Amino acid sequence: MRRLLALFSLALLVACSNPQPAATGWDKAAESLPDPKNPPTITVYHSPSCGCCKDWLVHLEKHKFTVISKPMDDVTPIKQQYGLPAAMGSCHTAVVDGYVIEGHVPADDIKRLLKTRPDIAGLSVPAMPHGTPGMETGRKDPFQVISFDKQGNTAVFNDYQSY
């Protein structure tokens, strides 16, 4: 399992090393924060050379999150510490109010998570679909935001198949 996560992390590091265009399509906040006067703090663990990770941080800041950036060469130990299922992996891992956020999850989905507080471990956009926040490359692939619990059960939290 550790070897698989390490290989997956290495592949994502290589994929993320190319700079991405700045975020453009996700800039309009639709979902409000649970408490706009006290924005949630999200801690993001990512490779220091990952352009798409940095663009996702900008996306979160535009949506009024307080972002703590934690650049590190290998995010695998963080993924393991928080029990991220291997199939949910992506290039960066974040933690907000006890929830794990993996990959290019739109800020509005994180806001909805924090408002509804379901009994899950977190949300993920597995892999790195084009068109997700931070991955605006001019192409928009359909994608899903997946919720997962500590037992490894998953469910669709939001579906962007025809956005």
Side-chain angles (χ1 to χ4, degrees):
M1 171 85 162
R2 285 184 181 177
R3 189 172 192 185
L4 178 62
L5 278 173
L7 287 172
F8 185 72
S9 294
L10 179 61
L12 289 174
L13 177 64
V14 170
C16 284
S17 63
N18 295 327
Q20 299 293 325
T24 56
W26 299 91
D27 294 340
K28 295 179 182 175
E31 186 79 32
S32 63
L33 291 168
D35 181 0
K37 294 178 184 175
N38 187 21
T41 298
I42 187 165
T43 303
V44 184
Y45 303 89
H46 62 92
S47 165
S49 63
C50 180
C52 66
C53 296
K54 292 173 187 171
D55 289 343
W56 189 67
L57 297 177
V58 170
H59 167 75
L60 294 174
E61 289 168 344
K62 286 181 180 177
H63 284 266
K64 308 301 182 203
F65 283 86
T66 300
V67 177
I68 298 173
S69 173
K70 297 279 188 171
M72 54 194 321
D73 291 328
D74 184 7
V75 184
T76 304
I78 299 298
K79 296 175 189 306
Q80 292 171 342
Q81 175 184 341
Y82 288 99
L84 180 73
M88 294 292 103
S90 187
C91 60
H92 52 262
T93 303
V95 179
V96 59
D97 206 13
Y99 289 104
V100 178
I101 308 297
E102 180 70 10
H104 296 268
V105 176
D108 281 345
D109 290 312
I110 300 169
K111 291 174 187 178
R112 189 176 112 201
L113 170 75
L114 296 174
K115 276 186 175 182
T116 60
R117 310 224 31 98
D119 186 19
I120 61 172
L123 299 176
S124 175
V125 172
M128 298 167 55
H130 290 268
T132 57
M135 287 293 295
E136 291 92 348
T137 61
R139 185 172 105 197
K140 288 187 175 183
D141 294 340
F143 69 96
Q144 294 178 323
V145 176
I146 306 295
S147 68
F148 59 92
D149 64 18
K150 292 182 181 184
Q151 292 73 40
N153 299 309
T154 62
V156 175
F157 187 81
N158 204 349
D159 193 324
Y160 294 86
Q161 297 300 313
S162 59
Y163 70 105

